[in-house]
């Protein structure tokens, strides 16, 4: 009996202690990108827009003329993403500025212009017909019947965001048509932001 008890104690002493519990996985919290110094044509401070420094929200929207565009398709390039509605006051002026901006963007192989048209009017303007009646659709336009504008923190239309190749939102601005210098400050501001991102201080 004593021998059996000693043998049991010896066996227990040789057993491995239980492995400590693995620490809990860290919660995935995105670290905001470094703040961009103020540039002309854009607001870059995080106080100017709630998503500056954050990754752009995911989306998948139908494109006027056919096809679908997703957030992931923006990866690897700089994108000016605009939000607008053809029923807004002054939309003709804004469209004229958009055409000028599109022409300037076309000169830069690493920069795209993409707009999201919001169906805010009860009748639901047919954006395809609207473009056809206003000289065509020279830049990719997506139609949103949901709340993509809310997901992107857009409170006032029209509005524009500058999204980097890693999908970080770097800057925000309002209507293009309110700038007396046209779209030149917008393009110069994009260049300044890209330079800061490429060589952070």
């Amino acid at each position: 009996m004593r021998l059996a008890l000693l043998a049991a104690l010896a066996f227990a002493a040789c057993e491995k202690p239980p492995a400590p519990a693995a620490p809990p996985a860290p919660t995935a919290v995105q670290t905001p990108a470094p703040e961009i110094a103020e540039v002309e044509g854009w607001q870059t401070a995080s106080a100017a827009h709630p998503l500056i420094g954050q990754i752009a929200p995911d989306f998948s929207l139908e494109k006027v003329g056919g096809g679908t565009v997703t957030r992931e398709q923006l990866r690897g390039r700089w994108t000016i993403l605009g939000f607008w509605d053809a029923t807004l006051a002054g939309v003709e002026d804004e469209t004229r500025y958009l055409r000028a901006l599109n022409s300037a963007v076309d000169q830069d192989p690493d920069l795209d212009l993409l707009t999201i048209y919001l169906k805010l009017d009860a009748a639901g303007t047919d954006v395809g017909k609207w473009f056809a009646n206003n000289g065509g659709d020279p830049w990719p336009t997506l139609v949103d019947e949901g709340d993509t504008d809310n997901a992107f923190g857009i409170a006032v239309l029209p509005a524009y965001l500058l999204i980097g190749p890693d999908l970080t939102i770097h800057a925000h601005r309002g209507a293009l048509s309110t700038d007396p210098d046209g779209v030149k400050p917008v393009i110069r501001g994009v260049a300044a932001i890209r330079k800061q991102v490429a060589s952070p201080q």
Side-chain angles (χ1 to χ4, degrees):
M1 178 85 174
R2 183 181 291 172
L3 199 55
L5 183 58
L6 287 173
L9 288 172
F11 179 74
C14 293
E15 283 185 0
K16 289 183 179 177
T27 305
V29 176
Q30 183 198 338
T31 303
E35 209 160 275
I36 302 293
E38 200 64 36
V39 299
E40 69 173 327
W42 294 92
Q43 296 175 308
T44 57
S46 56
H49 185 78
L51 295 185
I52 287 179
Q54 303 292 327
I55 297 298
D58 198 11
F59 68 87
S60 178
L61 296 172
E62 289 185 19
K63 182 180 171 184
V64 173
T68 300
V69 175
T70 68
R71 177 191 66 177
E72 199 57 32
Q73 289 172 261
L74 308 186
R75 188 179 293 278
R77 300 175 59 76
W78 286 87
T79 303
I80 297 174
L81 182 63
F83 295 81
W84 67 290
D85 172 28
T87 64
L88 292 170
V91 70
E92 292 82 7
D93 286 341
E94 192 67 16
T95 303
R96 191 168 64 252
Y97 274 69
L98 266 169
R99 291 185 192 285
L101 180 60
N102 183 62
S103 295
V105 167
D106 277 348
Q107 308 304 312
D108 188 332
D110 298 315
L111 180 63
D112 291 326
L113 172 63
L114 177 68
T115 59
I116 296 178
Y117 171 85
L118 305 172
K119 283 190 173 179
L120 299 181
D121 54 324
T125 299
D126 184 328
V127 69
K129 287 182 181 177
W130 188 89
F131 270 123
N133 294 332
N134 288 273
D137 176 14
W139 61 85
T141 295
L142 312 179
V143 179
D144 177 36
E145 297 182 20
D147 60 352
T148 305
D149 56 329
N150 291 329
F152 276 85
I154 302 300
V156 179
L157 296 175
Y160 300 85
L161 299 173
L162 179 63
I163 301 177
D166 65 350
L167 305 180
T168 297
I169 297 173
H170 289 289
H172 167 269
R173 67 157 293 130
L176 300 168
S177 54
T178 60
D179 198 321
D181 293 326
V183 300
K184 290 179 182 176
V186 177
I187 294 298
R188 287 196 295 263
V190 169
I193 291 168
R194 285 163 67 171
K195 186 175 181 181
Q196 288 188 51
V197 171
S199 303
Q201 296 298 320

